[in-house]
Amino acid sequence: MNNRLLALGLSTVLALSTSPVAGTVFAEGNAPALIAAEVVDVSDTATEAVEITQDAVDEALAAAETMEEGMAVPPFWVEKLEMDDGSFLVVLLTDPDVSEYKLAEDIDLKGATINFFFEEKEVTQTLDLNGYKIFGGHSKGGDLFVHALDGKIPKFTLNVKGKGEVGKLWVHNTCELNVEDATVDLLTADIDTVTSLKNCVVNGCENFNKSVLSVEGGKWNTDIQMDEMNAVSFTGVEVDGNIRVGKTPLVMKNCVVTGYIGAYESDGVNLQECTAAKGLDLGKSTGTIVGGSYPGEEVEWEPGNIGYRGINISDESNVNLIDVTTEMVEFYQAQGSVNNAVLTGHKFGTEDESLNGQSVRIHGGSDVQLAGVKGQGELDTSGSKVIVSGSEFGGISVSESDGDLASNITIKDTKLTSYGFYYKDPKGTMVIESGNFYGEYGNLFEAPEVKVTIKGGTFEVGEVGPAIGVIGDNIPVLKNMLGSGCKYLLADDDNKEALDDDYVYVEGGNFTTLKSGKVIVQSFVQPAAMYRLYNPNSGEHFFTASKEEYDSLGSLGWKQEGDAWIAPDMSETPVYRLYNDNNRDSAGNVNGYHHYTTSAAERDNLVSLGWKDEGIGWYSDDNETTPLYRVYNPNAKGDQEPGGHHYTSDAAERDYLVSLGWNDEGTGWYGM
């Protein structure tokens, strides 16, 4: 677009009050010098559609050859503008008092442009293409130029209908344009415009910014690049090319794109049931992708740097993927989730290079949740937090990341079908809770310190590898990988004897494998009743997991109050029991007092004050099923006791004590 014509569009504008301007020559490097012209009515206030004929266009062009200032040549006001290169652009301005223009035949503008503008009032006009073509001003001003007077006017709307064809269509400066069933060779929209296309064919687009675009149906035979748009939506559109937006909310539904869809620094990217053959690339963006297919392709990000675009989420993006299909998903320095997705797995290299196909890559400090994901390839991750549940992959590979980033992996109800585990991150941790895990080379854990906890799952022996193998210079004993309350069992061993360590870990690269069978890790957490007693002499409530201790204290005069709650016999959260025998009553008699806490720091502090550490009293439920409330009596007596604490699973009891002046200290631990 010639910059002088752009100046006209922006400031015909700055100088116009209610009328078109006279002929104007723009001096190079100077602001437009605009001359006001007399208002001329060229429409005769027609109520029916005014026809635009070739004869009328030819008369306007002939008049422009000799005129020095603008003049009326019905149905136009004619302007001639000198451009930078010395050529002239003829502008045919329409009359805002005409409600509809209609093409009578194919129109050759012969280098001119039809300019729809409006005065300082709300205007709605219609252009009926009538099945014909408009072409001529494409290279300079556009065939149709729709613009407003720099925000002075409430609203201008142009409705284009009639299944015709337009060369270049430019909507500019707070206008609203609605086009239906037309073909547009080149479309431009900017500066607070609202453009709506329905069932249109667009063969090119450029200079989209600071506007709203809504497209329903039709086809775009072009790449689409839009930056700093107010909003963009496509519904049921075919795009033969790529779509890339920057700093733009993008909404797409039921669209088919032969290239890729990309968004950068864009909040509100929402795609529903779309297909992008070359994938999806989101950076510094937020959004939700529901359904659809994004197969992807190999791309050269920079010379020598070959990567893969399936779905790429990067650079602090936060994106949720639901029910999508693609070859590969990658998160880099990003957050998000993948739910119920089908990932076919990209194959890097050739068969001979023995490189596993990858379905998901998560690295660079990302934080991602995977649920119900089915990938034929590997989940490959490093230096990131990943929670996997209800999913299936060929394998899971955890490698060390550069810098201080460490992996934090949780695996639940997941199946590995071909590659198994390969864990190699000395800085990271992994918890395996449940699932079925098979790898041809077994399930291997290699690092100076293997910080892996196995709470459950079935580990199958590979063709050439162990069910569970530990490799490293400082090999931890296998039991260190066990979660509390778990055992290793041989699935085909009728006696269910615990496996010897030699069967399941690797030492110095030489390993002994099980010839057949599986290693099953099962949790044997059993419920245990917790007993409550009351000392009528001291006022202390006492809790114990021991039936013998409960009966013994009952025989000494303590009031037995029955079961208080159900605790697991093992968990990752112990409850420590402490005793203060330095407390004295007013007569100087020992008035011992017990305290219970899950906090090792609180335990250690009380021990430093003279309390006795009585070890682990019981365990808290890691599933946090039933809260045990902790309340404190600030009026409790005794120089060395921290005050009278009480613990109860009964919210009503807690509330009653609080009403009497006790302090509510929240939840102490949990029962089953």
Side-chain angles (χ1 to χ4, degrees), residues 3-4 7 24-34 81-84:
N3 61 358
R4 293 300 183 245
T24 304
V25 177
F26 294 161
E28 182 66 35
N30 296 328
L34 300 175
L81 304 178
E82 184 175 355
M83 312 304 288
D84 286 344

Side-chain angles (χ1 to χ4, degrees), residues 621-640:
D621 179 23
D622 289 335
N623 294 321
E624 299 185 353
T625 305
T626 302
L628 268 293
Y629 306 110
R630 171 171 155 168
V631 293
Y632 169 67
N633 182 1
N635 299 314
K637 304 298 183 182
D639 297 334
Q640 295 182 347

Side-chain angles (χ1 to χ4, degrees), residues 123-202:
V123 175
T124 298
Q125 287 185 317
T126 298
L127 173 63
D128 185 353
L129 297 177
N130 199 24
Y132 296 126
K133 298 179 181 179
I134 297 179
F135 53 94
H138 195 291
S139 63
K140 295 177 181 177
D143 298 332
L144 296 180
F145 181 29
V146 185
H147 71 98
L149 298 181
D150 260 357
K152 295 181 180 179
I153 310 306
K155 184 178 181 182
F156 176 56
T157 302
L158 176 65
N159 300 311
V160 180
K161 64 180 184 179
K163 296 185 179 180
E165 183 176 342
V166 177
K168 180 175 181 179
L169 176 55
W170 182 14
V171 57
H172 170 70
N173 201 20
T174 70
C175 293
E176 181 177 330
L177 173 67
N178 302 303
V179 186
E180 187 171 352
D181 298 323
T183 297
V184 180
D185 284 342
L186 186 62
L187 178 65
T188 294
D190 61 12
I191 309 182
D192 296 326
T193 57
V194 178
T195 302
S196 175
L197 304 179
K198 186 174 182 180
N199 300 325
C200 293
V201 175
V202 178

Side-chain angles (χ1 to χ4, degrees), residues 187-485:
L187 178 65
T188 294
D190 61 12
I191 309 182
D192 296 326
T193 57
V194 178
T195 302
S196 175
L197 304 179
K198 186 174 182 180
N199 300 325
C200 293
V201 175
V202 178
N203 295 319
C205 62
E206 64 181 13
N207 299 331
F208 276 87
N209 64 84
K210 297 179 181 178
S211 57
V212 174
L213 175 66
S214 176
V215 183
E216 181 181 347
K219 184 176 182 181
W220 289 51
N221 300 305
T222 179
D223 288 340
I224 301 172
Q225 173 75 48
M226 301 180 185
D227 295 306
E228 298 188 27
M229 294 283 284
N230 297 331
V232 174
S233 68
F234 288 85
T235 303
V237 181
E238 295 181 46
V239 178
D240 188 4
N242 303 315
I243 298 178
R244 184 166 176 83
V245 300
K247 298 181 180 180
T248 297
L250 175 65
V251 177
M252 298 182 67
K253 183 177 181 180
N254 298 323
C255 295
V256 177
V257 181
T258 62
Y260 70 87
I261 300 173
Y264 194 74
E265 292 186 342
S266 298
D267 290 331
V269 178
N270 291 286
L271 311 182
Q272 184 173 345
E273 300 297 342
C274 294
T275 297
K278 296 184 178 180
L280 176 65
D281 190 7
L282 303 179
K284 288 190 176 180
S285 300
T286 63
T288 301
I289 316 301
V290 180
S293 176
Y294 304 88
E297 63 171 354
E298 283 191 353
V299 293
E300 187 172 13
W301 301 112
E302 57 188 33
N305 183 6
I306 305 297
Y308 195 81
R309 178 194 285 121
I311 298 179
N312 284 353
I313 314 296
S314 64
D315 298 334
E316 302 176 1
S317 293
N318 191 335
V319 178
N320 298 311
L321 307 175
I322 304 170
D323 296 324
V324 299
T325 300
T326 182
E327 285 202 25
M328 177 181 175
V329 174
E330 179 171 10
F331 285 85
Y332 176 71
Q333 295 181 348
Q335 299 180 49
S337 64
V338 184
N339 295 276
N340 302 322
V342 177
L343 312 176
T344 56
H346 174 56
K347 189 76 174 179
F348 285 96
T350 65
E351 294 282 340
D352 295 338
E353 293 174 325
S354 299
L355 294 176
N356 295 332
Q358 293 182 331
S359 291
V360 181
R361 293 189 69 211
I362 303 173
H363 52 124
S366 296
D367 187 345
V368 181
Q369 297 184 29
L370 308 175
V373 178
K374 187 172 183 179
Q376 296 179 13
E378 275 197 333
L379 162 59
D380 180 86
T381 181
S382 65
S384 298
K385 180 179 180 181
V386 183
I387 298 175
V388 186
S389 62
S391 298
E392 179 178 325
F393 293 100
I396 294 178
S397 175
V398 184
S399 56
E400 183 176 4
S401 177
D402 294 335
D404 296 329
L405 295 175
S407 302
N408 184 340
I409 316 297
T410 302
I411 310 295
K412 306 175 183 177
D413 299 325
T414 292
K415 183 178 182 180
L416 304 184
T417 59
S418 51
Y419 308 129
F421 283 108
Y422 187 71
Y423 180 92
K424 191 176 181 180
D425 185 0
K427 295 176 294 189
T429 60
M430 180 160 69
V431 176
I432 304 171
E433 296 192 1
S434 56
N436 189 288
F437 313 111
Y438 170 80
E440 180 181 357
Y441 295 94
N443 297 288
L444 304 178
F445 304 88
E446 177 181 1
E449 294 184 15
V450 180
K451 299 177 182 177
V452 176
T453 299
I454 301 176
K455 294 185 175 182
T458 298
F459 295 78
E460 300 193 32
V461 175
E463 291 186 18
V464 291
I468 301 175
V470 180
I471 308 171
D473 296 332
N474 300 310
I475 303 171
V477 178
L478 182 61
K479 66 181 181 181
N480 290 339
M481 295 173 62
L482 280 171
S484 298

Side-chain angles (χ1 to χ4, degrees), residues 31 85 391 566 572:
D85 60 3
S391 298
I566 301 298
E572 294 296 312

